[in-house]
Amino acid sequence: MTPLTAGSDPALSLMSTPMHALVLRAPVTVAPLTSIRDAALLMREQRVSSVLIVEQGLLFGLVTDRDLRNRAVATGIDTQRPVMDIATLAPLGVGMNELAFDALLLMARHNIHHVPVLDGQRVVGMVTATDLTEQHSSSAVYLAGDIYKQGSVEGLQRASARVPHLQHNLAAAGASAYSTGHIVTAITDAITTRLLQLGEARFGPAPVDYVWVAAGSQARNEQTAKSDQDNGLVLDDSFDEALHGAYFRDLSRFVCDGLDACGYVHCPGEMMAMNDAWRLPRHRWVQLFAQWTEQPDPTALMLTCVFFDMRAIHGRVELLEGLRRGVLERTRGNGIFLAHMVNNALTRQPPLGLFKGLSPLRGGEHKGTLDLKHNGIVPIVDLARVYALSSGDSAVNTHDRLLGAAAGGDISEQSARDLRDALEFLASMRIQHQARQIALDLPPDNFMDPNEVSNFERTQLRDAFTVVKTLQNVLGQRFQSGQF
């Protein structure tokens, strides 16, 4: 199975390039009291599209050419006023040793095109969307920017219709499944955030603090163009149903219906914020997680597989951070709960027959195909989740959980590497399969006919499924020997 290398994947070069490698010049800076006119003249002289506002080495703000147009020229403001009057204060930045891919995702999620690069608190440079040379990946930044410009659900529908095309282009460029998942999920995050902004514009400001959380594949940054929605609302404990219930009911219905209209279909199991059961104050979420870990019946196990993978999308993120810390404290070393999770993780088996040959589905609508998601990818996701809950690892992405499991000694370095390679290969096969369907204007799905790939790829499929099956057996043996 081919290991991940920067050279084999154009998008992956962003994931191996530190930010300091993209900083080609010292930052162009001005003091906070510099006039708007002088800042504009400096930008023209230096031929840059932004200037950083710095005082005593600390970053206070950022002004872009768009700020000059929209906040100065268009409003007729006196250009002798301080540049701070039109600046974006406390701008989002990235550390000089962070990866360029992190900057790409930051831009896509927050609709920004300029990111300061920091060494601690000291500004060392500026990187723009055009500096990220992988144009097929950077297109996600511009798609996200278009999403944030939309003023209606209909506009978001038109923007979201470009997601399959984005995924097709990433597949054609040879982007890894890991990077494709992060990029496609960033677009889902942008659509979700914009729907929440439109909802707040329609229904008014939220009466109490909340955080909208993604669950499932969106939380793990593992989405493709074929995804349903799993989400919830964590409300501040000051929430009062009589006073605030109607507002959040309307807001969550608006967002979930909007996501459905944009192609993220309603969850068949109704695990969505518009369901009263998943729109709760923080203390009720705490009670639910305690109940699931103390009484892990089949329903509880099904819910944990969705809601133990959670990530904040919009709102007061601290509400979720504290909740997740409490959950991991409950699951770490909880033998009874983990035993049930192990059993659950072994229910979905790779499609291998006698002598480890491929075993396609024998009946139903998709007879003769391999379900790459439920019989290939999901078993790896389930294994990684058990490792994370066992050790109290806060990672949510499956690849990152496997790295953490190896670092913590829950699985050998070789086994973790085999599982990561198997995950990457199976997810890439799924993406390539969907890309072929998108090119034929067919709705993408997860069911691949093994005859549509080469003999070599079928051999790799068998090897990947064998890795999964082997590590499932190892986990089962650990459970039986009482190592949890």
Side-chain angles (χ1 to χ4, degrees):
M1 209 168 296
T2 304
L4 300 180
T5 63
S8 64
D9 179 357
L12 202 59
S13 66
L14 293 176
M15 300 174 63
S16 60
T17 303
M19 288 300 295
H20 63 74
L22 299 180
V23 177
L24 303 179
R25 59 180 295 175
V28 179
T29 66
V30 296
L33 296 181
T34 301
S35 72
I36 296 171
R37 182 175 185 276
D38 286 345
L41 290 172
L42 180 64
M43 290 169 62
R44 184 180 69 177
E45 175 188 324
Q46 295 293 325
R47 296 186 178 182
V48 293
S49 59
S50 63
V51 64
L52 295 169
I53 302 172
V54 175
E55 181 78 355
Q56 296 182 347
L58 300 179
L59 176 62
F60 280 81
L62 164 69
V63 171
T64 68
D65 49 6
R66 184 166 59 177
D67 295 328
L68 289 171
R69 291 194 306 271
N70 297 341
R71 299 178 182 178
V73 176
T75 61
I77 193 172
D78 182 357
T79 58
Q80 293 304 314
R81 289 174 59 177
V83 71
M84 284 288 282
D85 289 354
I86 64 167
T88 297
L89 303 180
L92 296 169
V94 294
M96 63 182 296
N97 293 319
E98 292 186 55
L99 299 177
F101 191 71
D102 296 323
L104 168 68
L105 294 180
L106 189 71
M107 291 177 183
R109 288 198 170 105
H110 296 279
N111 188 29
I112 55 179
H113 291 77
H114 299 77
V115 176
V117 181
L118 307 173
D119 180 8
Q121 293 185 321
R122 184 175 65 88
V123 182
V124 295
M126 171 73 79
V127 168
T128 69
T130 55
D131 293 327
L132 301 176
T133 57
E134 308 303 333
Q135 292 301 318
H136 66 277
S137 298
S138 296
S139 65
V141 177
Y142 298 103
L143 176 53
D146 189 45
I147 286 167
Y148 283 107
K149 294 174 185 176
Q150 302 305 317
S152 67
V153 173
E154 292 74 22
L156 289 174
Q157 280 182 287
R158 290 190 292 271
S160 65
R162 292 154 57 191
V163 173
H165 181 66
L166 171 64
Q167 178 173 309
H168 180 272
N169 287 348
L170 289 167
S176 70
Y178 181 91
S179 56
T180 297
H182 278 75
I183 291 169
V184 172
T185 304
I187 300 304
T188 310
D189 291 353
I191 293 171
T192 305
T193 300
R194 187 57 182 153
L195 283 167
L196 284 160
Q197 292 170 344
L198 293 176
E200 291 182 6
R202 173 179 293 196
F203 303 115
V208 299
D209 284 341
Y210 74 90
V211 60
W212 184 279
V213 297
S217 61
Q218 184 182 0
R220 296 192 304 271
N221 285 294
E222 294 169 5
Q223 284 196 309
T224 68
K226 171 65 176 177
S227 295
D228 59 6
Q229 57 176 293
D230 298 299
N231 46 59
L233 265 183
V234 181
L235 305 166
D236 187 83
D237 281 336
S238 61
F239 170 79
D240 184 309
E241 173 63 34
L243 297 175
H244 313 133
Y247 174 89
F248 286 107
R249 192 173 299 111
D250 290 342
L251 178 67
S252 58
R253 167 67 70 175
F254 174 81
V255 174
C256 290
D257 285 349
L259 287 170
D260 182 71
C262 290
Y264 306 94
V265 298
H266 287 139
C267 173
E270 298 188 346
M271 285 177 274
M272 299 173 289
M274 70 181 192
N275 183 339
D276 292 350
W278 313 124
R279 189 178 61 252
L280 301 169
R282 183 184 176 281
H283 75 274
R284 284 287 295 118
W285 280 102
V286 171
Q287 292 171 359
L288 274 180
F289 282 119
Q291 176 184 328
W292 293 341
T293 53
E294 292 168 6
Q295 301 174 349
D297 58 31
T299 299
L301 290 171
M302 181 268 293
L303 293 172
T304 59
C305 288
V306 176
F307 287 113
F308 275 27
D309 300 348
M310 300 180 80
R311 182 169 57 85
I313 302 298
H314 180 78
R316 187 182 163 204
V317 298
E318 294 84 359
L319 290 171
L320 179 62
E321 290 173 352
L323 177 63
R324 277 188 55 76
R325 282 195 299 271
V327 168
L328 293 173
E329 288 172 3
R330 287 183 175 277
T331 62
R332 184 189 298 114
N334 185 334
I336 295 176
F337 169 74
L338 291 170
H340 284 281
M341 288 295 291
V342 169
N343 275 334
N344 187 71
L346 302 182
T347 57
R348 293 190 183 275
Q349 296 287 320
L352 293 172
L354 290 175
F355 309 111
K356 294 184 179 180
L358 295 178
S359 179
L361 296 172
R362 297 182 179 179
E365 178 185 359
H366 302 289
K367 180 180 178 180
T369 66
L370 302 172
D371 186 342
L372 294 175
K373 177 180 177 181
H374 293 102
N375 295 119
I377 296 170
V378 169
I380 303 175
V381 171
D382 288 342
L383 287 172
R385 185 184 299 109
V386 170
Y387 297 137
L389 295 177
S390 172
S391 64
D393 184 2
S394 61
V396 180
N397 176 266
T398 301
H399 180 277
D400 297 342
R401 281 173 166 173
L402 292 172
L403 287 176
D410 293 316
I411 185 174
S412 71
E413 291 280 356
Q414 182 63 55
S415 294
R417 186 160 47 248
D418 288 345
L419 273 178
R420 294 198 309 275
D421 282 353
L423 174 64
E424 175 63 32
F425 178 74
L426 292 171
S428 294
M429 292 294 286
R430 177 193 185 197
I431 289 169
Q432 293 288 346
H433 165 68
Q434 292 180 351
R436 289 190 289 271
Q437 293 177 309
I438 291 167
L440 295 172
D441 202 25
L442 297 172
D445 62 28
N446 303 304
F447 300 94
M448 188 189 76
D449 184 344
N451 293 317
E452 72 182 57
V453 299
S454 69
N455 288 332
F456 177 73
E457 288 171 315
R458 283 198 293 275
T459 299
Q460 288 188 300
L461 276 170
R462 185 187 63 206
D463 290 346
F465 290 139
T466 300
V467 165
V468 178
K469 179 62 177 175
T470 299
L471 270 297
Q472 283 183 324
N473 291 339
V474 170
L475 186 67
Q477 291 166 6
R478 284 187 61 191
F479 157 63
Q480 292 176 353
S481 64
Q483 294 184 43
F484 278 104

